[in-house]
Amino acid sequence: MELGTSCFQSDLDFCPECGTILPLPGIQDKVTCVRCSFSIDVRDFEGKVVQSCVEFNRLGSVPLMIVDDGQEVKGPTIDRKCPQCGHEGMVYHTRQMRSADEGQTVFYTCGRCKFQEKEDS
Protein backbone atom coordinates (compact mmCIF):
# COMPACT_ATOMS: atom_id res chain seq x y z
CA MET A 1 0.00 0.00 0.00
CA GLU A 2 1.34 3.43 -0.94
CA LEU A 3 1.91 6.21 1.55
CA GLY A 4 -0.92 8.72 1.64
CA THR A 5 -3.54 6.31 0.35
CA SER A 6 -6.56 5.37 2.36
CA CYS A 7 -7.35 2.03 3.96
CA PHE A 8 -11.00 2.23 2.85
CA GLN A 9 -12.86 3.16 -0.28
CA SER A 10 -16.33 4.45 0.50
CA ASP A 11 -18.83 7.24 0.11
CA LEU A 12 -18.25 10.48 1.97
CA ASP A 13 -20.52 9.16 4.73
CA PHE A 14 -17.60 7.18 6.18
CA CYS A 15 -14.07 8.09 7.22
CA PRO A 16 -11.60 6.81 4.60
CA GLU A 17 -9.01 6.11 7.34
CA CYS A 18 -10.91 4.17 10.01
CA GLY A 19 -14.37 3.53 8.49
CA THR A 20 -16.32 5.43 11.18
CA ILE A 21 -19.51 7.26 10.16
CA LEU A 22 -18.65 10.92 9.64
CA PRO A 23 -20.68 13.72 11.23
CA LEU A 24 -22.81 15.85 8.94
CA PRO A 25 -21.10 18.92 7.47
CA GLY A 26 -21.70 22.08 9.48
CA ILE A 27 -20.44 25.63 9.34
CA GLN A 28 -16.79 24.63 9.79
CA ASP A 29 -14.41 24.41 6.82
CA LYS A 30 -13.67 20.73 7.49
CA VAL A 31 -15.55 17.60 8.53
CA THR A 32 -13.47 15.78 11.15
CA CYS A 33 -13.76 12.13 12.12
CA VAL A 34 -14.58 11.77 15.82
CA ARG A 35 -12.49 8.59 16.11
CA CYS A 36 -9.22 9.26 14.27
CA SER A 37 -9.42 13.05 13.61
CA PHE A 38 -9.07 12.61 9.84
CA SER A 39 -10.39 15.77 8.13
CA ILE A 40 -12.15 16.26 4.81
CA ASP A 41 -12.78 19.65 3.23
CA VAL A 42 -16.45 20.58 3.52
CA ARG A 43 -16.48 21.54 -0.19
CA ASP A 44 -16.13 17.85 -1.05
CA PHE A 45 -19.71 17.47 0.19
CA GLU A 46 -21.19 20.10 -2.18
CA GLY A 47 -24.03 18.72 -4.26
CA LYS A 48 -24.31 15.55 -2.17
CA VAL A 49 -27.94 14.71 -1.37
CA VAL A 50 -28.73 12.79 1.79
CA GLN A 51 -32.08 10.99 1.96
CA SER A 52 -33.60 9.10 4.85
CA CYS A 53 -36.82 7.23 5.34
CA VAL A 54 -38.53 6.12 8.54
CA GLU A 55 -41.24 3.47 8.38
CA PHE A 56 -43.62 3.05 11.27
CA ASN A 57 -45.78 0.01 11.95
CA ARG A 58 -49.46 0.72 11.55
CA LEU A 59 -51.50 0.64 14.72
CA GLY A 60 -52.67 -2.93 15.21
CA SER A 61 -50.30 -4.38 12.58
CA VAL A 62 -48.05 -6.01 15.19
CA PRO A 63 -49.82 -9.02 16.74
CA LEU A 64 -50.09 -9.21 20.52
CA MET A 65 -48.62 -12.23 22.25
CA ILE A 66 -51.43 -14.68 22.92
CA VAL A 67 -50.81 -17.60 25.24
CA ASP A 68 -53.10 -20.65 24.94
CA ASP A 69 -54.30 -22.32 28.15
CA GLY A 70 -52.53 -25.57 27.28
CA GLN A 71 -49.21 -23.93 26.44
CA GLU A 72 -46.49 -23.64 29.09
CA VAL A 73 -45.06 -20.14 29.59
CA LYS A 74 -41.26 -20.24 29.33
CA GLY A 75 -38.65 -17.69 30.27
CA PRO A 76 -36.98 -16.14 33.30
CA THR A 77 -39.18 -15.91 36.41
CA ILE A 78 -39.35 -12.99 38.81
CA ASP A 79 -40.88 -12.71 42.30
CA ARG A 80 -43.96 -10.75 41.29
CA LYS A 81 -47.51 -11.39 42.43
CA CYS A 82 -50.08 -11.86 39.68
CA PRO A 83 -52.78 -9.19 40.10
CA GLN A 84 -55.39 -11.57 38.64
CA CYS A 85 -54.96 -14.81 40.61
CA GLY A 86 -52.41 -13.90 43.31
CA HIS A 87 -49.86 -16.51 42.14
CA GLU A 88 -46.32 -15.57 43.21
CA GLY A 89 -43.92 -15.73 40.27
CA MET A 90 -44.34 -14.28 36.79
CA VAL A 91 -42.36 -14.95 33.63
CA TYR A 92 -41.03 -11.84 31.89
CA HIS A 93 -39.42 -10.64 28.68
CA THR A 94 -38.33 -7.17 27.53
CA ARG A 95 -38.61 -5.24 24.29
CA GLN A 96 -37.37 -1.85 23.15
CA MET A 97 -40.70 -0.30 22.12
CA ARG A 98 -39.74 3.37 22.24
CA SER A 99 -36.66 5.34 21.22
CA ALA A 100 -33.24 4.09 22.25
CA ASP A 101 -32.75 6.77 24.91
CA GLU A 102 -35.82 5.56 26.83
CA GLY A 103 -36.19 2.42 28.92
CA GLN A 104 -37.37 -0.96 27.74
CA THR A 105 -40.91 -2.24 28.15
CA VAL A 106 -41.19 -5.32 30.40
CA PHE A 107 -43.94 -7.85 29.67
CA TYR A 108 -45.04 -10.14 32.53
CA THR A 109 -47.06 -13.37 32.14
CA CYS A 110 -48.50 -15.37 35.03
CA GLY A 111 -47.40 -19.01 34.95
CA ARG A 112 -50.71 -20.17 36.38
CA CYS A 113 -53.56 -18.15 34.81
CA LYS A 114 -51.58 -16.72 31.83
CA PHE A 115 -52.59 -13.13 32.72
CA GLN A 116 -50.36 -10.60 30.94
CA GLU A 117 -49.36 -7.08 31.88
CA LYS A 118 -46.70 -4.64 30.77
CA GLU A 119 -44.58 -2.07 32.52
CA ASP A 120 -42.76 0.85 30.89
CA SER A 121 -39.51 1.62 32.64
Side-chain angles (χ1 to χ4, degrees), residues 65-74 109-112 114:
M65 188 175 103
I66 299 171
V67 180
D68 294 328
D69 289 320
Q71 190 178 23
E72 183 181 343
V73 180
K74 295 180 182 178
T109 305
C110 177
R112 181 185 291 161
K114 311 298 189 260

Side-chain angles (χ1 to χ4, degrees), residues 47-119:
K48 182 167 175 60
V49 177
V50 177
Q51 292 181 339
S52 64
C53 177
V54 178
E55 290 187 28
F56 294 96
N57 293 329
R58 287 188 227 180
L59 190 59
S61 66
V62 178
L64 297 175
M65 188 175 103
I66 299 171
V67 180
D68 294 328
D69 289 320
Q71 190 178 23
E72 183 181 343
V73 180
K74 295 180 182 178
T77 304
I78 188 169
D79 290 333
R80 184 181 178 105
K81 192 178 213 174
C82 174
Q84 181 115 357
C85 72
H87 177 70
E88 189 66 43
M90 295 184 82
V91 175
Y92 72 93
H93 70 277
T94 61
R95 289 228 172 124
Q96 188 68 39
M97 305 296 284
R98 297 170 288 164
S99 62
D101 64 339
E102 297 183 39
Q104 294 183 350
T105 301
V106 183
F107 295 89
Y108 298 98
T109 305
C110 177
R112 181 185 291 161
C113 72
K114 311 298 189 260
F115 174 78
Q116 294 180 339
E117 65 179 345
K118 71 176 186 169
E119 182 179 281

Side-chain angles (χ1 to χ4, degrees), residues 5-19:
T5 61
S6 175
C7 299
F8 297 96
Q9 290 184 340
S10 69
D11 292 333
L12 289 176
D13 298 333
F14 300 94
C15 175
E17 291 300 314
C18 69

